[in-house]
Amino acid sequence: SQQGEEDPQALSIQEGENATMNCSYKTSINNLQWYRQNSGRGLVHLILIRSNEREKHSGRLRVTLDTSKKSSSLLITASRAADTASYFCATGGGETSGSRLTFGEGTQLTVNP
Amino acid sequence: KAGVTQTPRYLIKTRGQQVTLSCSPISGHRSVSWYQQTPGQGLQFLFEYFSETQRNKGNFPGRFSGRQFSNSRSEMNVSTLELGDSALYLCASSVTTDTQYFGPGTRLTVL
């Protein structure tokens, strides 16, 4: 079963614009991760934010985490056509879950040149 | 370091057959996890192996099984294939219980 929902399910923007994706989850977490998947291929790890962190940056990526609302957001700034992919949030890890990740339903991002 | 490799990349089977998929983790990674991805159910956790022992198991029928060898390579087996088993099967390896490194997947089609 999915941990939560991602919003929106699909997002279409122009190159240079910012893209924001949201993720909600149901249970308490140790950390939350974001992954990217290009066209039915393997997932690529983007960023991990721990439950005691509120915001994290990596290059053009900014992730926020609100544990009181059980939600996270991923912001991609200055989007490029190469950012076109599906983006998934995942929870799990730590002593209780081991390496088991529970994924959201994903957001399909299309960046138009 | 070489990434996670999965073989075969594509597979076509018929109902009732069995299939074995292979995964070679990143060198030094002792944890290997398997996931099934379908359009209807999304990404679902199958099982995790660590040091040749199953450490975690998802909610899949007993037709789905796996094992891990002493070199950390892992195989998963699906017996008595059903149409609904058609999916992308992803393998991931890790050092800690946090970041997972995924392979390219095996696309299984059951006819």
Side-chain angles (χ1 to χ4, degrees):
Chain A
S1 62
Q2 298 299 306
Q3 165 69 301
E5 299 177 355
E6 292 188 55
D7 168 45
Q9 288 190 335
L11 180 61
S12 181
I13 60 174
Q14 297 299 123
E15 258 190 335
E17 295 181 337
N18 296 341
T20 300
M21 289 159 267
N22 302 297
C23 164
S24 62
Y25 57 91
K26 298 175 181 174
T27 62
S28 60
I29 61 171
N30 292 303
N31 64 64
L32 186 142
Q33 305 176 46
W34 286 88
Y35 288 82
R36 183 186 75 222
Q37 184 179 39
N38 289 85
S39 189
R41 300 169 71 178
L43 280 76
V44 174
H45 181 260
L46 295 175
I47 195 166
L48 179 152
I49 186 166
R50 301 197 182 280
S51 59
N52 61 352
E53 298 175 306
R54 292 296 168 259
E55 187 172 312
K56 201 162 183 180
H57 296 254
S58 176
R60 295 184 295 112
L61 306 180
R62 172 178 167 254
V63 169
T64 61
L65 179 64
D66 187 335
T67 53
S68 66
K69 295 181 179 179
K70 290 187 169 59
S71 68
S72 173
S73 68
L74 171 67
L75 168 67
I76 304 174
T77 60
S79 296
R80 306 165 181 168
D83 295 328
T84 295
S86 293
Y87 291 82
F88 295 89
C89 66
T91 58
E95 292 181 7
T96 53
S97 299
S99 296
R100 176 180 188 152
L101 293 177
T102 302
F103 286 88
E105 297 170 347
T107 293
Q108 172 61 52
L109 172 66
T110 302
V111 182
N112 302 298
Chain B
K1 274 185 181 179
V4 177
T5 58
Q6 292 187 244
T7 56
R9 292 292 311 279
Y10 302 91
L11 206 48
I12 299 175
K13 293 285 187 179
T14 56
R15 280 180 298 175
Q17 288 187 311
Q18 74 166 15
V19 67
T20 299
L21 312 181
S22 180
C23 171
S24 293
I26 292 172
S27 177
H29 288 195
R30 294 165 64 189
S31 170
V32 174
S33 299
W34 289 88
Y35 293 83
Q36 181 197 64
Q37 185 177 29
T38 60
Q41 299 298 316
L43 280 153
Q44 294 191 291
F45 173 80
L46 280 157
F47 28 65
E48 179 207 357
Y49 286 87
F50 182 85
S51 293
E52 302 179 64
T53 301
Q54 188 179 85
R55 184 159 73 172
N56 239 317
K57 189 177 188 306
N59 188 26
F60 278 82
R63 300 185 297 106
F64 291 82
S65 63
R67 60 177 175 169
Q68 186 179 35
F69 302 94
S70 58
N71 62 357
S72 293
R73 189 177 70 86
S74 177
E75 289 181 347
M76 68 162 282
N77 183 277
V78 187
S79 62
T80 318
L81 284 165
E82 301 176 359
L83 294 179
D85 297 332
S86 293
L88 181 67
Y89 289 89
L90 294 162
C91 162
S93 73
S94 64
V95 175
T96 69
T97 54
D98 292 337
T99 301
Q100 305 280 302
Y101 296 87
F102 284 81
T106 294
R107 173 75 63 184
L108 172 65
T109 302
V110 182
L111 303 176

